[in-house]
Amino acid sequence: DDRTRNALGTLHGGVCFLTVPSMFRQFGALLERLERAGLRVARLRLVNDNGPTFAVQVTGEDAQQRWTSIARSLDEGCMQRVSESELQMYFDRAKFPSTAAFDNCTLCLVRPHAVRDGGVGAVITSVMEAGIEVAASEMLSLSRAQAAELFDVYKGVL
């Protein structure tokens, strides 16, 4: 019913935002702060919007309040809060094609338990600190069959 929807929406709402290109190298650290505050990444995609821009939705209990607390401690203008419908535009591959170079590259998969446990930021930070260029990033949900097919390619490699 409406009452339950409103109550749960307040408790488990989400916050959508875009980073500015100058935040690219600090993005992993930003996600780590959000995850430590109890927020979880629900959607994520790297796009080229006059430079590398992350489009992100985080969710969690008291998401608005937790987000505001962290945002106040950051440099003004490093992120832009957007509505869910505005965020959706950045997931449109016709408007924002993949930023992947597909040249001398590899694939990094963040397993579901790491996402659930709030480890996305730590993975991105580790990759960037190792000097590996992040050319593309997108959060996807796969069915068990799709995941099995994807991992089948890597049997014997990992």
Side-chain angles (χ1 to χ4, degrees), residues 82-155:
V82 295
S83 69
E84 199 168 336
S85 62
E86 289 171 307
L87 183 76
Q88 183 59 36
M89 174 181 71
Y90 291 90
F91 288 83
D92 180 344
R93 288 187 180 90
K95 289 182 182 176
F96 291 95
S98 175
T99 55
F102 301 113
D103 180 38
N104 192 23
C105 60
T106 190
L107 172 67
C108 173
L109 300 173
V110 180
R111 304 280 303 260
H113 70 275
V115 175
R116 180 195 64 227
D117 296 342
V120 177
V123 170
I124 292 173
T125 297
S126 295
V127 167
M128 288 185 168
E129 284 179 352
I132 299 170
E133 178 186 345
V134 175
S137 181
E138 185 165 358
M139 181 176 240
L140 304 170
S141 294
L142 303 176
S143 68
R144 285 194 183 273
Q146 290 170 321
E149 182 179 341
L150 177 68
F151 283 119
D152 193 45
V153 173
Y154 294 99
K155 283 185 181 171

